[in-house]
Amino acid sequence: MSFAQAPTGALQLKWELQEHGWATCNLSNDSHQASLVASYCTDALADLVAAAGGLYGQQRTTRFFFDAEPQELRWVLRATDAVIDVTIYEFPDVSVSLDLPDTDGTAIWQSAHSRRLFSHAVLSAAQSVFTEHGEAGYQAKWMLHPFPVALVQDLRRLHLRDDACGLSHDLAHP
Ligand SMILES: [Zn+2]
């Protein structure tokens, strides 16, 4: 599988809550798409939003994972100047893979985007799921974790401050 490397390439990110603590994270750019499963064993959306926010500070590389039970889907975000490289590795069994190096996994997604575009996509996905479900509805489906309001607000503040995005990214109250 070959991957497009387009630093300004489009990125669509859609977060779909399923029933009983499952979610699907759909990623697509101009040439590829991927559908990632996440269980509530980790606070998956919160981890994604926090990782995006971390890229505005000194942190150049950040990792987190979705627990797809049993697979580990490990996100690796690398910041170079204002470009974010996104690589997602799949490992067959999260119970043994967390200590393994990235190279032991299978890369199932790779793309590069401006930080502005990446954060915009993450914020838009979070906003959409909030608009659709609200705080109570979100927790009813995701069960173990509330909607990450504070993390989303932090990322919004950084994105508006540093990326000159024209949208307000206000969390709409349903
Ligand atoms: Zn934006």
Side-chain angles (χ1 to χ4, degrees):
M1 187 171 183
S2 66
F3 295 99
Q5 287 283 3
T8 56
L11 177 65
Q12 301 294 325
L13 221 159
K14 190 169 193 303
W15 197 270
E16 292 180 322
L17 287 178
Q18 313 294 344
E19 297 298 325
H20 308 300
W22 292 94
T24 309
C25 176
N26 298 299
L27 285 158
S28 61
N29 63 13
D30 293 335
S31 51
H32 294 91
Q33 58 181 33
S35 190
L36 310 179
V37 169
S39 77
Y40 64 1
C41 291
T42 68
D43 195 356
L45 178 61
D47 291 342
L48 173 61
V49 173
L55 296 170
Y56 289 79
Q58 297 299 312
Q59 199 168 10
R60 307 318 286 168
T61 301
T62 185
R63 289 177 171 77
F64 61 96
F65 68 97
F66 291 169
D67 185 342
E69 300 188 28
Q71 298 88 357
E72 175 191 355
L73 302 176
R74 182 185 302 174
W75 291 66
V76 182
L77 306 179
R78 283 193 179 81
T80 312
D81 298 324
V83 174
I84 308 299
D85 278 295
V86 182
T87 309
I88 301 169
Y89 299 93
E90 181 175 320
F91 298 77
D93 184 355
V94 70
S95 70
V96 297
S97 62
L98 291 179
D99 293 329
L100 296 177
D102 300 339
T103 48
D104 282 10
T106 302
I108 59 169
W109 178 269
Q110 190 166 45
S111 61
H113 311 281
S114 67
R115 187 182 62 192
R116 176 183 194 275
L117 193 146
F118 181 73
S119 294
H120 185 87
V122 172
L123 276 173
S124 298
Q127 274 181 283
S128 294
V129 78
F130 188 87
T131 301
E132 182 178 352
H133 298 285
E135 278 191 274
Y138 182 91
Q139 187 150 14
K141 283 185 178 283
W142 193 233
M143 298 169 72
L144 290 188
H145 315 276
F147 183 82
V149 174
L151 289 168
V152 170
Q153 299 293 15
D154 284 348
L155 179 59
R156 171 179 180 266
R157 179 177 55 79
L158 294 163
H159 176 59
L160 297 186
R161 185 192 72 187
D162 291 358
D163 298 338
C165 183
L167 295 185
S168 75
H169 288 291
D170 267 331
L171 284 176
H173 292 276

